[in-house]
Amino acid sequence: MRTYLDWNATTPLRDEVKAAMRDGMEIVGNPSSVHSEGRAAKMAMERAREQVAAALGAEGADVIFTSGTTEAAAMVLAGRGVHCAVVEHSAVKVWCEQDLAVDSNGIVSVPDPARASLQLANNETGVIQDLPQGLGSSDLTQAFGKVPFAFNWLGITAGFVSAHKLGGPKGIGALIVKRGTDVEAMIRGGGQEQGRRGGTENLLGILGFAAAASAAQRELEAGLWDEVAARREALEDRLLAAAPGAIVAGKAVKRLPNTTCLLTSGWKGETQVMQMDLAGFAISAGSACSSGKVRASGVLQAMGFDDKAAQSAIRISISPALGDDQVNRFADAWESAYSRWRDRNG
Ligand SMILES: Cc1ncc(COP(=O)(O)O)c(C=O)c1O
């Protein structure tokens, strides 16, 4: 039996999502067609758009369906000379001047919010940022569904989300913009999405996204993520007690309730990921692998960790679908791997 502890990377489809997509398979029409089949497809899509907007607290804002955050970010950032910090996901970073300062907790200073992009929560550490009013754009991908927020109250112009982080399908997401914001289409062609994103819409993906967004909203309102936070705290207490030299990145500041980024300097993150995989647990390493060369995480380096510490990072990210038992079994497995490593490196 495998235990999946990598919910920040992606999530399994929720049952409600599968049901919504299965129902959607019966829809025949193209949302742009004027006949009854087309109007039925359009109606289902617009209902889904309202559901996504409601879950995001973005009623009255424009929800433009895209293939996910990467596309949404490109639409508003490409060629604009926007500023960001190196802690951003590469989907944002690739378009920006990466010159904003980051402190040892991963908190970013934003001198000119209108010309900046700042993530609400970091995918590696879970660190949550207070977004300054008037911020140009924010990557909301990791925060959506895990912590309550309302787009309408964040005071930002644009936000990016991906459905697969909250139990929806992969390859669908949205760009959310304040109504009336000028957004030039990147993918041109038909006039879909008010001329801002050409191409026949991914209706099945959209229906799955809406079901995921509503389910996530209900879960948050029911307080299930408070239980996740308590479970995560208990896990960190155990791991830090077993490995007194270990560090949890960002532990001193507000974080997502489900994320632990653990550094055990000297013990390679990749090694830990492989050992845990063999023991039946999926976690991820906090370092990025590019062209066969393992690099330390830029996020952790920006927070002041040296290469050896940064390369030891693992990320454990849980969800309300996991119980105490699964998390405890992971802690057991990690602790015994740690004591073997410590005995060898003593
Ligand atoms: C914070 C953050 N931004 C952007 C992305 C990219 O999302 P997608 O690959 O769905 O476009 C991810 C997911 O990997 C993420 O965690």
Side-chain angles (χ1 to χ4, degrees), residues 227-249:
E227 293 170 22
V228 170
R231 204 163 280 136
R232 189 267 311 266
E233 289 310 303
L235 171 67
E236 291 183 354
D237 288 348
R238 270 194 69 174
L239 302 181
L240 293 174
I247 293 170
V248 171

Side-chain angles (χ1 to χ4, degrees), residues 8-9 67-71 89 91-92 119 121-123 139 141-142 162 164-165 171:
N8 285 10
S67 61
T69 288
T70 303
E71 183 186 335
H89 190 276
V92 167
Q119 59 193 190
N122 183 269
N123 47 304
D139 180 349
T141 313
Q142 288 293 340
S162 278
H164 69 101
K165 306 288 186 182

Side-chain angles (χ1 to χ4, degrees), residues 8-9 86-90 93 119 121-127 142 248-250 255-256 258-263 284-288 295-301 303 310 313-317:
N8 285 10
V86 294
V87 297
E88 292 296 322
H89 190 276
S90 51
K93 246 180 358 186
Q119 59 193 190
N122 183 269
N123 47 304
E124 291 182 35
T125 60
V127 166
Q142 288 293 340
V248 171
R255 282 179 299 153
L256 293 176
N258 75 323
T259 309
T260 295
C261 179
L262 184 73
L263 287 73
S284 81
S287 53
R295 285 178 298 125
S297 148
V299 173
L300 297 171
Q301 287 177 321
M303 291 167 74
I314 54 168
R315 180 187 65 189
I316 304 134
S317 49

